[in-house]
Amino acid sequence: MRRFNNRIVTSAFFATTALAVAMPAYAQDAADDDKDVIVVTAQKREQNLQDVPIAINAIGNEKLDQLQVSELQDVVKFLPSVTIQQGGPGFAQVYFRGVASGENANHSASLPTVGTYLDEMPITTIQGALDLHAYDLARVEALAGPQGTLYGASSMAGTLKLVTNAPDPSGFYGSAGVEINNVSKGDFGAIYEGFINVLIAEGAAARLVGWYRDDGGYIDNVFGSRTYATSGITQNNANLVEKNYNDAETYGARLALGIDLDDNWTVKPTLMGQVQNTEGSYSRERSGATNGGLQTVQYNPEGSKDKWIQAALTIEGKIGNWDLTATGGHLRRKTETQSDYSDYAYFYDALAGYGYYFQDNAGNFVNPNQYIQGIDRYRKTFGEIRIASPSDARLRFIGGLFYQRQSHNIEQNYIIDNIADSITVPGTDSNIWLTKQQRTDRDYAAFGELSFDVTDQLTLTGGARLYKYDNSLFGFFGFARGYSSNTGVARCITTTGAEFRDNPTGTFAEPILNGAPCTNVNKSTSDTDAIFKLNATYKINDDALVYATWSRGFRPGGINRRGTLPPYGPDELDNYELGWKTTFGDFRFNGAVYQLDWNNIQLSFLGANGLTEIRNAGIARIRGAEIDVGYRAGGFSLNAGFSYNDAEIRRDFCAIANPQFDCTIDVDLNGNGVIGDRANEINETLAPAGSRLPVTAKFKGNAIARYEFPVADWDGHVQFAVNHTGSRRSDLRPAQNTLKGNLGAYTTADFSIGVKNEVWAIEAFATNLFDERGGVNTGVQCLETVCGTGVTPTTPTGGAFYDVLIKPRVIGLKFTRDF
């Protein structure tokens, strides 16, 4: 575990100070009247946020720093329409407006419903967005509702844009900062970050940014022992007992260039990368052994290493009086994970006697303790070219072409040490299960929006996106032939084309994927369609507008890796929205009311043998409202945002979907009888009509009050922020939600006080001031059918229920030096 080192902090601080003193000060504060003006690019043009006729929240550079934002979950607190579900650093799913069915984010499951962009490039990988350290960002834009016309497939419910500060050709300047913090009942941590902006030639500038963050742990791994029922083998975790064992370090850098070729053409290359290392688990165990505190009982090492690098290039120019933008990029990401899976091993053995199968070559029982080692490799390439007519013309057009290819090489090793060769997956040391697959998702699109000013006050806009997706999955998943006669190796293809279970003396066909012992999945699916958007905006005066929008978003279909299940199709989201943007002197009042109709929902759940299955299984309706208000007078400002979402399914969710939504009919969507392994499957109601969608609270809101005042030659400030998140279902299905329990409502408060001048800034702060234990995720490491029986063997470790909580109270001190 990394320990906080005061000597390192002190030396880094004085080194930073010495560097800063040696350089001239460069600072330019915005005028007071411009402090709340944010220019956004939500419609791929630069516009004042108050002139954009969509529901959008934007947090600028200065405000991000004032709110102590350093990672994705920090900024989501202040975006009322956004919800985050997190399992730990680097593994998060983001949702807008309640569009969540409780999907398990499995590597072979559905794409996210929210697109995340870093400048021009989509950075949403198949299992979620990058966990970028938030420093030197110009702003964060949250675009609520379907953005599919301009932003594509993974923006069905909304888009989150992280916009970095561009190189500035006006001169040389920079900043460096140090933060020292302590987490309640946990370790110390620190953040070191800085940037320099350099003029390298006339019309050319470079910006170099770097950061290092050490997050102190706060969850203890406490002692536990368990005896496996079948073998009588006793296991304990004495070698892993540790206080504050879930620490993390994050470091990275960004180099950006801005080169003006002439008055009309600019080239902007960027190179960016980050490494994030974590140790331990970010879940507390809900059991008697841990007393419900920030503790867990884990029997195997846990942690992750997440590293990625991104290269991007944007070229902007003019052809006549039209703007042309060509942009592209490439992203590579690799995650290495270790997970404790021993709870599954214990409960399978205690309640189903599975420990009997785990013997060595001599027939002796082995410890059935199970753990997972994973290596996931992602690659993403995209390109977009678009043109835009003059923004002051009465008839305006923006449109272009888009291409994206993302791949995910999946390797998940489920290991029980020393098991017999006959039940070890071929080609592995001691795997009881192996997933080795290659998933590739390809997207192609042509898009455009046309706006016409009918009068000086009324504007009509229509948009369309013609898209095609082509997705594939191939490789291997499952057990050895000696462990299962119906899955894994048994389903591999032989040279005759037959499965190995039907041709047991045959020879495996050459594996399609390197590292796989053979091939038992090789599927693809594709589709072509179009989505549309209509908008009418009426500008009452320069300070007020109202708008009405109908828009549609989509999410591509994909592959069910179980051989007998067909691919799942795309789902669609229709948005009907009325909104307004108003400014009355020092007061801002924005809002929207909406209804979302979610059709052919991609519902994912664990089916037979614990395999994720995805069915287009239902219809949901979400009715909601969002309010954003702000007031500024002198040194005082008050900003608040609220969202309300009433989200429920409108038809029964059936295990086997059918056109009648009748869960007593054992047929699929096409009216066909069940086939293959599903021949004996009986349809059932997974969730009845009227069930509330999970993950998102009905009410979420925040308020921020800040007062700025002079202190001698310095500017002082005091700030207080409060955030509330209502209760949420943990699962759409009533039985599983009862098992895991609801996520309770919680309210947090943040406080800061500080001073600054043209060179220095000093601030003390506290986040989650009252040390609230708010839950953001919950799970069960046990067969749902087993845990659902209510039978829990008596062991010192208690149950297998885990909660991911918000970070406890953090108190810190920040020093910043501008130069």
Side-chain angles (χ1 to χ4, degrees):
M1 183 175 68
R2 292 170 297 278
R3 296 293 182 188
F4 184 81
N5 190 319
N6 289 309
R7 185 167 53 188
I8 293 175
V9 174
T10 305
S11 61
F13 175 68
F14 281 110
T16 300
T17 305
L19 176 67
V21 170
M23 298 178 180
Y26 183 96
Q28 182 66 44
D29 290 333
D32 288 343
D33 292 342
D34 295 332
K35 280 190 175 182
D36 293 327
V37 174
I38 298 180
V39 175
V40 297
T41 54
Q43 297 185 312
K44 301 204 172 183
R45 299 176 185 265
E46 289 192 351
Q47 296 173 284
N48 186 321
L49 182 146
Q50 289 297 99
D51 295 331
V52 181
I54 62 174
I56 175 174
N57 290 110
I59 304 176
N61 178 294
E62 186 176 13
K63 185 65 70 176
L64 289 168
D65 183 62
Q66 293 170 0
L67 296 174
Q68 321 306 329
V69 170
S70 61
E71 55 186 329
L72 186 60
Q73 65 177 342
D74 296 333
V75 72
V76 167
K77 285 199 310 184
F78 300 98
L79 300 173
S81 61
V82 185
T83 300
I84 189 169
Q85 191 175 41
Q86 196 163 26
F91 300 94
Q93 293 290 324
V94 178
Y95 304 98
F96 272 84
R97 290 183 170 177
V99 181
S101 62
E103 55 268 14
N104 60 12
N106 180 273
H107 45 67
S108 301
S110 303
L111 288 166
T113 61
V114 172
T116 304
Y117 278 68
L118 178 59
D119 295 321
E120 291 279 355
M121 182 172 180
I123 58 170
T124 308
T125 57
I126 289 169
Q127 283 190 262
L130 300 179
D131 193 1
L132 172 68
H133 177 72
Y135 176 66
D136 198 45
L137 295 179
R139 61 189 177 275
V140 174
E141 302 177 17
L143 288 58
Q147 306 296 323
T149 304
L150 292 180
Y151 288 95
S154 285
S155 291
M156 182 177 79
T159 300
L160 196 64
K161 295 189 65 176
L162 311 176
V163 183
T164 62
N165 282 313
D168 181 1
S170 66
F172 174 85
Y173 59 95
S175 181
V178 175
E179 175 185 314
I180 306 167
N181 60 60
N182 176 252
V183 60
S184 176
K185 300 180 177 63
D187 268 346
F188 282 88
I191 299 176
Y192 316 100
E193 52 194 13
F195 78 89
I196 56 172
N197 188 94
V198 181
L199 180 66
I200 54 179
E202 184 177 354
R207 195 177 189 96
L208 180 62
V209 186
W211 58 90
Y212 176 87
R213 187 175 85 231
D214 185 1
D215 294 320
Y218 50 87
I219 292 179
D220 301 337
N221 193 27
V222 300
F223 179 80
S225 67
R226 54 168 48 133
T227 299
Y228 290 92
T230 300
S231 63
I233 294 173
T234 297
Q235 174 188 21
N236 68 57
N237 67 342
N239 62 323
L240 295 174
V241 171
E242 185 177 354
K243 287 185 64 66
N244 309 323
Y245 92 132
N246 65 320
D247 52 5
E249 66 171 1
T250 304
Y251 55 91
R254 182 178 86 248
L255 175 62
L257 300 178
I259 304 170
D260 295 332
L261 302 179
D262 56 28
D263 291 340
N264 294 324
W265 290 89
T266 300
V267 178
K268 299 177 180 178
T270 303
L271 183 65
M272 187 174 186
Q274 181 176 281
V275 175
Q276 187 171 66
N277 299 318
T278 72
E279 295 180 1
S281 168
Y282 282 76
S283 302
R284 68 100 178 259
E285 189 169 348
R286 198 193 314 165
S287 73
T290 64
N291 299 315
L294 296 175
Q295 296 178 330
T296 189
V297 183
Q298 298 298 292
Y299 291 84
N300 295 284
E302 295 198 299
S304 67
K305 184 173 184 177
D306 183 357
K307 57 182 180 181
W308 56 266
I309 187 168
Q310 178 227 27
L313 175 66
T314 298
I315 301 173
E316 298 174 334
K318 284 187 173 295
I319 300 177
N321 62 350
W322 285 57
D323 295 324
L324 182 142
T325 301
T327 183
H330 182 73
L331 170 71
R332 293 195 178 190
R333 181 186 186 190
K334 179 182 178 182
T335 62
E336 300 175 64
T337 56
Q338 298 182 89
S339 304
D340 184 5
Y341 210 60
S342 62
D343 287 328
Y344 276 95
Y346 178 80
F347 283 106
Y348 269 91
D349 184 35
L351 298 179
Y354 273 69
Y356 172 80
Y357 301 102
F358 303 136
Q359 302 176 17
D360 60 20
N361 288 327
N364 301 311
F365 286 120
V366 300
N367 186 345
N369 170 59
Q370 191 171 163
Y371 56 96
I372 307 171
Q373 293 180 346
I375 302 176
D376 293 87
R377 297 176 175 88
Y378 306 85
R379 292 189 180 187
K380 188 183 190 88
T381 301
F382 102 104
E384 180 175 303
I385 184 169
R386 64 179 184 267
I387 57 172
S389 63
S391 59
D392 57 356
R394 186 178 181 186
L395 180 66
R396 300 177 297 281
F397 173 79
I398 183 169
L401 302 172
F402 175 86
Y403 165 75
Q404 175 179 270
R405 183 185 189 276
Q406 54 181 333
S407 65
H408 181 185
N409 187 289
I410 307 157
E411 182 178 327
Q412 299 287 317
N413 299 281
Y414 291 70
I415 301 170
I416 300 177
D417 291 328
N418 304 315
I419 55 176
D421 295 341
S422 62
I423 61 173
T424 298
V425 176
T428 69
D429 292 333
S430 201
N431 277 32
I432 189 66
W433 174 285
L434 171 68
T435 299
K436 183 62 177 178
Q437 298 173 165
Q438 178 82 12
R439 173 176 177 169
T440 304
D441 292 45
R442 307 167 187 85
D443 296 281
Y444 314 83
F447 62 91
E449 285 192 359
L450 190 66
S451 298
F452 178 66
D453 295 334
V454 179
T455 69
D456 290 341
Q457 294 175 291
L458 177 64
T459 300
L460 301 179
T461 299
R465 189 179 188 95
L466 176 67
Y467 68 84
K468 176 183 179 180
Y469 66 81
D470 183 1
N471 301 336
S472 62
L473 180 70
F474 60 87
F476 173 87
F477 65 98
F479 299 106
R481 181 70 171 88
Y483 188 80
S484 173
S485 61
N486 198 43
T487 61
V489 171
R491 303 302 294 266
C492 281
I493 303 300
T494 63
T495 53
T496 66
E499 293 182 351
F500 187 65
R501 65 175 181 172
D502 300 322
N503 182 22
T505 60
T507 302
F508 292 133
E510 186 71 21
I512 300 175
L513 180 63
N514 290 335
C518 49
T519 301
N520 61 10
V521 60
N522 184 11
K523 295 182 174 184
S524 64
T525 185
S526 62
D527 193 17
T528 301
D529 207 337
I531 56 173
F532 303 94
K533 169 186 174 181
L534 295 173
N535 172 273
T537 302
Y538 186 78
K539 197 165 187 177
I540 300 171
N541 54 44
D542 289 342
D543 296 320
L545 65 82
V546 293
Y547 67 87
T549 297
W550 168 75
S551 58
R552 173 172 290 176
F554 81 102
R555 179 169 50 167
I559 305 299
N560 272 301
R561 57 178 172 166
R562 186 189 298 281
T564 55
L565 291 181
Y568 56 91
D571 50 358
E572 293 182 337
L573 190 71
D574 286 312
N575 175 49
Y576 307 90
E577 181 174 329
L578 297 173
W580 62 93
K581 300 279 184 79
T582 60
T583 305
F584 304 100
D586 297 325
F587 182 70
R588 179 188 74 253
F589 179 45
N590 300 337
V593 294
Y594 49 84
Q595 176 172 308
L596 301 171
D597 292 333
W598 189 5
N599 297 302
N600 297 320
I601 297 173
Q602 295 174 10
L603 176 66
S604 63
F605 58 94
L606 294 181
N609 304 116
L611 289 180
T612 296
E613 299 182 5
I614 304 98
R615 315 276 180 92
N616 295 99
I619 297 172
R621 184 189 68 196
I622 303 165
R623 288 176 172 168
E626 295 162 350
I627 300 295
D628 169 50
V629 296
Y631 174 76
R632 175 182 289 276
F636 176 75
S637 63
L638 177 66
N639 293 277
F642 310 94
S643 69
Y644 174 83
N645 288 287
D646 184 11
E648 64 179 34
I649 60 172
R650 305 294 293 163
R651 302 285 182 89
D652 291 349
F653 272 11
C654 304
I656 306 173
N658 58 75
Q660 292 77 32
F661 297 94
D662 185 345
C663 299
T664 65
I665 301 176
D666 298 334
V667 298
D668 63 20
L669 279 171
N670 298 316
N672 301 317
V674 295
I675 59 175
D677 291 344
R678 299 171 62 200
N680 296 320
E681 188 175 346
I682 298 174
N683 208 351
E684 61 176 327
T685 302
L686 296 177
S691 297
R692 181 177 158 195
L693 291 178
V695 179
T696 300
K698 276 193 173 183
F699 178 81
K700 182 186 178 188
N702 69 82
I704 307 163
R706 183 179 178 89
Y707 182 63
E708 298 176 349
F709 49 90
V711 180
D713 295 331
W714 296 63
D715 296 322
H717 70 267
V718 60
Q719 179 174 286
F720 185 80
V722 62
N723 298 269
H724 176 79
T725 299
S727 65
R728 294 134 289 149
R729 290 177 65 100
S730 61
D731 200 293
L732 174 66
R733 299 162 294 173
Q736 284 71 21
N737 190 73
T738 300
L739 174 68
K740 294 186 287 187
N742 285 331
L743 295 166
Y746 63 90
T747 302
T748 63
D750 302 339
F751 176 79
S752 63
I753 185 170
V755 293
K756 68 175 183 179
N757 59 22
E758 291 185 351
V759 177
W760 285 97
I762 304 171
E763 183 177 54
F765 69 89
T767 59
N768 193 5
L769 182 62
F770 302 110
D771 209 16
E772 184 79 6
R773 298 284 185 265
V776 296
N777 204 351
T778 187
V780 183
Q781 194 176 104
C782 177
L783 266 179
E784 290 180 344
T785 54
V786 172
C787 292
T789 65
V791 179
T792 303
T794 302
T795 74
T797 60
F801 296 82
Y802 296 89
D803 301 315
V804 180
L805 306 177
I806 61 174
K807 186 176 287 188
R809 178 177 58 242
V810 176
I811 296 175
L813 186 63
K814 297 197 301 188
F815 303 90
T816 303
R817 176 68 157 87
D818 294 337
F819 52 87

Short mmCIF file of all heavy atoms in Angstrom, two decimals, residues 357-386:
data_model
loop_
_atom_site.label_atom_id
_atom_site.label_comp_id
_atom_site.label_asym_id
_atom_site.label_seq_id
_atom_site.Cartn_x
_atom_site.Cartn_y
_atom_site.Cartn_z
N TYR A 357 -16.42 -31.76 -7.18
CA TYR A 357 -15.79 -31.87 -8.48
C TYR A 357 -14.35 -31.36 -8.48
O TYR A 357 -13.61 -31.61 -9.43
CB TYR A 357 -16.59 -31.07 -9.52
CG TYR A 357 -18.01 -31.55 -9.67
CD1 TYR A 357 -19.06 -30.86 -9.07
CD2 TYR A 357 -18.31 -32.68 -10.40
CE1 TYR A 357 -20.37 -31.28 -9.20
CE2 TYR A 357 -19.62 -33.14 -10.55
CZ TYR A 357 -20.65 -32.42 -9.93
OH TYR A 357 -21.94 -32.86 -10.06
N PHE A 358 -13.95 -30.64 -7.44
CA PHE A 358 -12.65 -29.99 -7.46
C PHE A 358 -11.61 -30.86 -6.76
O PHE A 358 -11.40 -30.78 -5.54
CB PHE A 358 -12.74 -28.60 -6.82
CG PHE A 358 -13.76 -27.72 -7.49
CD1 PHE A 358 -14.64 -26.94 -6.74
CD2 PHE A 358 -13.86 -27.69 -8.87
CE1 PHE A 358 -15.58 -26.14 -7.36
CE2 PHE A 358 -14.80 -26.88 -9.50
CZ PHE A 358 -15.67 -26.11 -8.74
N GLN A 359 -11.00 -31.72 -7.55
CA GLN A 359 -9.98 -32.65 -7.07
C GLN A 359 -8.73 -32.50 -7.94
O GLN A 359 -8.80 -31.98 -9.06
CB GLN A 359 -10.50 -34.09 -7.13
CG GLN A 359 -11.77 -34.31 -6.32
CD GLN A 359 -12.31 -35.72 -6.45
OE1 GLN A 359 -11.60 -36.63 -6.89
NE2 GLN A 359 -13.58 -35.91 -6.07
N ASP A 360 -7.60 -32.97 -7.42
CA ASP A 360 -6.39 -32.93 -8.21
C ASP A 360 -6.25 -34.23 -9.02
O ASP A 360 -7.16 -35.08 -9.02
CB ASP A 360 -5.16 -32.69 -7.32
CG ASP A 360 -4.97 -33.78 -6.27
OD1 ASP A 360 -5.53 -34.90 -6.44
OD2 ASP A 360 -4.26 -33.53 -5.28
N ASN A 361 -5.14 -34.41 -9.69
CA ASN A 361 -4.97 -35.58 -10.56
C ASN A 361 -4.95 -36.89 -9.77
O ASN A 361 -5.25 -37.96 -10.32
CB ASN A 361 -3.66 -35.46 -11.36
CG ASN A 361 -3.76 -34.41 -12.45
OD1 ASN A 361 -4.83 -34.22 -13.02
ND2 ASN A 361 -2.65 -33.74 -12.74
N ALA A 362 -4.63 -36.81 -8.48
CA ALA A 362 -4.60 -38.02 -7.65
C ALA A 362 -5.95 -38.31 -7.00
O ALA A 362 -6.08 -39.29 -6.26
CB ALA A 362 -3.53 -37.87 -6.58
N GLY A 363 -6.95 -37.46 -7.26
CA GLY A 363 -8.27 -37.68 -6.69
C GLY A 363 -8.48 -37.08 -5.31
O GLY A 363 -9.48 -37.35 -4.66
N ASN A 364 -7.53 -36.25 -4.87
CA ASN A 364 -7.67 -35.58 -3.57
C ASN A 364 -8.41 -34.25 -3.73
O ASN A 364 -8.22 -33.54 -4.73
CB ASN A 364 -6.29 -35.32 -2.97
CG ASN A 364 -5.49 -36.59 -2.78
OD1 ASN A 364 -5.99 -37.57 -2.22
ND2 ASN A 364 -4.25 -36.58 -3.25
N PHE A 365 -9.20 -33.92 -2.72
CA PHE A 365 -9.89 -32.63 -2.75
C PHE A 365 -8.87 -31.49 -2.70
O PHE A 365 -7.86 -31.58 -1.98
CB PHE A 365 -10.85 -32.49 -1.57
CG PHE A 365 -12.11 -33.30 -1.71
CD1 PHE A 365 -12.43 -34.28 -0.77
CD2 PHE A 365 -12.97 -33.10 -2.77
CE1 PHE A 365 -13.59 -35.03 -0.88
CE2 PHE A 365 -14.13 -33.85 -2.91
CZ PHE A 365 -14.44 -34.81 -1.97
N VAL A 366 -9.15 -30.44 -3.46
CA VAL A 366 -8.34 -29.22 -3.40
C VAL A 366 -9.20 -28.10 -2.83
O VAL A 366 -10.43 -28.19 -2.79
CB VAL A 366 -7.79 -28.82 -4.79
CG1 VAL A 366 -6.93 -29.92 -5.37
CG2 VAL A 366 -8.93 -28.45 -5.74
N ASN A 367 -8.54 -27.08 -2.38
CA ASN A 367 -9.26 -25.89 -1.90
C ASN A 367 -10.05 -25.30 -3.06
O ASN A 367 -9.47 -24.87 -4.05
CB ASN A 367 -8.25 -24.87 -1.35
CG ASN A 367 -8.93 -23.68 -0.70
OD1 ASN A 367 -10.13 -23.45 -0.86
ND2 ASN A 367 -8.16 -22.91 0.06
N PRO A 368 -11.40 -25.23 -2.96
CA PRO A 368 -12.20 -24.72 -4.08
C PRO A 368 -12.19 -23.19 -4.19
O PRO A 368 -12.94 -22.63 -5.00
CB PRO A 368 -13.60 -25.24 -3.79
CG PRO A 368 -13.64 -25.40 -2.31
CD PRO A 368 -12.25 -25.77 -1.88
N ASN A 369 -11.36 -22.52 -3.40
CA ASN A 369 -11.22 -21.07 -3.50
C ASN A 369 -11.03 -20.66 -4.95
O ASN A 369 -10.22 -21.22 -5.68
CB ASN A 369 -10.02 -20.61 -2.66
CG ASN A 369 -9.66 -19.16 -2.91
OD1 ASN A 369 -10.46 -18.27 -2.71
ND2 ASN A 369 -8.44 -18.94 -3.39
N GLN A 370 -11.78 -19.64 -5.37
CA GLN A 370 -11.75 -19.23 -6.78
C GLN A 370 -11.47 -17.72 -6.88
O GLN A 370 -11.96 -16.93 -6.07
CB GLN A 370 -13.09 -19.55 -7.44
CG GLN A 370 -13.09 -19.41 -8.96
CD GLN A 370 -14.35 -19.95 -9.60
OE1 GLN A 370 -14.66 -19.66 -10.74
NE2 GLN A 370 -15.12 -20.76 -8.87
N TYR A 371 -10.67 -17.35 -7.86
CA TYR A 371 -10.37 -15.94 -8.10
C TYR A 371 -10.28 -15.70 -9.61
O TYR A 371 -10.15 -16.64 -10.39
CB TYR A 371 -9.08 -15.52 -7.40
CG TYR A 371 -7.85 -16.34 -7.76
CD1 TYR A 371 -6.96 -15.92 -8.73
CD2 TYR A 371 -7.58 -17.55 -7.10
CE1 TYR A 371 -5.83 -16.67 -9.05
CE2 TYR A 371 -6.46 -18.30 -7.41
CZ TYR A 371 -5.59 -17.86 -8.39
OH TYR A 371 -4.48 -18.59 -8.71
N ILE A 372 -10.36 -14.43 -9.99
CA ILE A 372 -10.39 -14.05 -11.40
C ILE A 372 -9.20 -13.15 -11.71
O ILE A 372 -8.92 -12.20 -10.97
CB ILE A 372 -11.69 -13.30 -11.77
CG1 ILE A 372 -12.93 -14.11 -11.35
CG2 ILE A 372 -11.74 -13.00 -13.27
CD1 ILE A 372 -14.22 -13.33 -11.49
N GLN A 373 -8.53 -13.45 -12.80
CA GLN A 373 -7.51 -12.56 -13.35
C GLN A 373 -7.93 -12.19 -14.76
O GLN A 373 -8.15 -13.08 -15.60
CB GLN A 373 -6.14 -13.25 -13.34
CG GLN A 373 -5.59 -13.51 -11.95
CD GLN A 373 -4.24 -14.19 -11.95
OE1 GLN A 373 -3.80 -14.71 -12.97
NE2 GLN A 373 -3.57 -14.19 -10.81
N GLY A 374 -8.07 -10.91 -15.00
CA GLY A 374 -8.57 -10.45 -16.29
C GLY A 374 -7.61 -9.51 -16.99
O GLY A 374 -6.90 -8.73 -16.34
N ILE A 375 -7.57 -9.61 -18.31
CA ILE A 375 -6.84 -8.67 -19.15
C ILE A 375 -7.77 -8.27 -20.29
O ILE A 375 -8.20 -9.13 -21.07
CB ILE A 375 -5.55 -9.28 -19.72
CG1 ILE A 375 -4.62 -9.77 -18.61
CG2 ILE A 375 -4.82 -8.26 -20.59
CD1 ILE A 375 -3.38 -10.48 -19.12
N ASP A 376 -8.10 -7.00 -20.36
CA ASP A 376 -8.98 -6.49 -21.40
C ASP A 376 -8.24 -5.44 -22.20
O ASP A 376 -7.68 -4.49 -21.63
CB ASP A 376 -10.24 -5.90 -20.79
CG ASP A 376 -11.11 -6.95 -20.11
OD1 ASP A 376 -10.88 -7.25 -18.92
OD2 ASP A 376 -12.00 -7.48 -20.78
N ARG A 377 -8.26 -5.61 -23.51
CA ARG A 377 -7.59 -4.67 -24.42
C ARG A 377 -8.62 -4.05 -25.35
O ARG A 377 -9.35 -4.76 -26.04
CB ARG A 377 -6.50 -5.39 -25.23
CG ARG A 377 -5.37 -5.97 -24.38
CD ARG A 377 -4.40 -6.76 -25.25
NE ARG A 377 -3.24 -7.23 -24.51
CZ ARG A 377 -3.19 -8.38 -23.84
NH1 ARG A 377 -4.26 -9.19 -23.84
NH2 ARG A 377 -2.10 -8.75 -23.19
N TYR A 378 -8.63 -2.72 -25.36
CA TYR A 378 -9.58 -1.99 -26.19
C TYR A 378 -8.82 -1.18 -27.24
O TYR A 378 -7.76 -0.61 -26.96
CB TYR A 378 -10.40 -1.00 -25.34
CG TYR A 378 -11.10 -1.58 -24.15
CD1 TYR A 378 -10.45 -1.73 -22.93
CD2 TYR A 378 -12.45 -1.94 -24.21
CE1 TYR A 378 -11.10 -2.24 -21.82
CE2 TYR A 378 -13.11 -2.44 -23.11
CZ TYR A 378 -12.43 -2.59 -21.91
OH TYR A 378 -13.07 -3.09 -20.81
N ARG A 379 -9.41 -1.11 -28.42
CA ARG A 379 -8.91 -0.21 -29.45
C ARG A 379 -10.10 0.51 -30.07
O ARG A 379 -11.13 -0.10 -30.32
CB ARG A 379 -8.13 -0.97 -30.53
CG ARG A 379 -6.82 -1.57 -30.04
CD ARG A 379 -5.99 -2.11 -31.18
NE ARG A 379 -4.74 -2.67 -30.72
CZ ARG A 379 -3.77 -3.10 -31.52
NH1 ARG A 379 -3.94 -3.06 -32.84
NH2 ARG A 379 -2.64 -3.60 -31.02
N LYS A 380 -9.90 1.78 -30.31
CA LYS A 380 -10.99 2.58 -30.87
C LYS A 380 -10.41 3.56 -31.88
O LYS A 380 -9.48 4.30 -31.56
CB LYS A 380 -11.71 3.34 -29.75
CG LYS A 380 -12.99 4.06 -30.18
CD LYS A 380 -13.54 4.83 -29.00
CE LYS A 380 -14.94 5.36 -29.27
NZ LYS A 380 -15.98 4.38 -28.92
N THR A 381 -10.96 3.55 -33.09
CA THR A 381 -10.55 4.48 -34.14
C THR A 381 -11.79 5.17 -34.67
O THR A 381 -12.84 4.52 -34.89
CB THR A 381 -9.86 3.72 -35.30
OG1 THR A 381 -8.71 3.03 -34.79
CG2 THR A 381 -9.43 4.69 -36.39
N PHE A 382 -11.70 6.48 -34.84
CA PHE A 382 -12.86 7.19 -35.36
C PHE A 382 -12.40 8.28 -36.32
O PHE A 382 -11.26 8.75 -36.29
CB PHE A 382 -13.69 7.79 -34.22
CG PHE A 382 -13.47 9.26 -34.01
CD1 PHE A 382 -14.41 10.19 -34.43
CD2 PHE A 382 -12.31 9.74 -33.42
CE1 PHE A 382 -14.21 11.54 -34.25
CE2 PHE A 382 -12.10 11.09 -33.23
CZ PHE A 382 -13.07 12.00 -33.65
N GLY A 383 -13.32 8.68 -37.18
CA GLY A 383 -13.09 9.81 -38.07
C GLY A 383 -14.40 10.49 -38.39
O GLY A 383 -15.46 9.84 -38.48
N GLU A 384 -14.35 11.80 -38.50
CA GLU A 384 -15.55 12.57 -38.85
C GLU A 384 -15.14 13.76 -39.69
O GLU A 384 -14.12 14.42 -39.41
CB GLU A 384 -16.28 13.05 -37.59
CG GLU A 384 -17.54 13.87 -37.88
CD GLU A 384 -18.32 14.22 -36.62
OE1 GLU A 384 -18.71 13.27 -35.89
OE2 GLU A 384 -18.53 15.43 -36.36
N ILE A 385 -15.92 14.05 -40.71
CA ILE A 385 -15.73 15.26 -41.51
C ILE A 385 -17.08 15.93 -41.64
O ILE A 385 -18.09 15.26 -41.91
CB ILE A 385 -15.11 14.94 -42.88
CG1 ILE A 385 -14.83 16.24 -43.64
CG2 ILE A 385 -15.95 13.97 -43.69
CD1 ILE A 385 -13.98 16.04 -44.88
N ARG A 386 -17.12 17.22 -41.39
CA ARG A 386 -18.40 17.92 -41.45
C ARG A 386 -18.20 19.34 -41.99
O ARG A 386 -17.10 19.91 -41.87
CB ARG A 386 -19.08 17.97 -40.09
CG ARG A 386 -18.34 18.73 -39.03
CD ARG A 386 -19.11 18.73 -37.70
NE ARG A 386 -18.43 19.54 -36.69
CZ ARG A 386 -17.56 19.06 -35.81
NH1 ARG A 386 -17.24 17.77 -35.82
NH2 ARG A 386 -17.00 19.88 -34.93
#
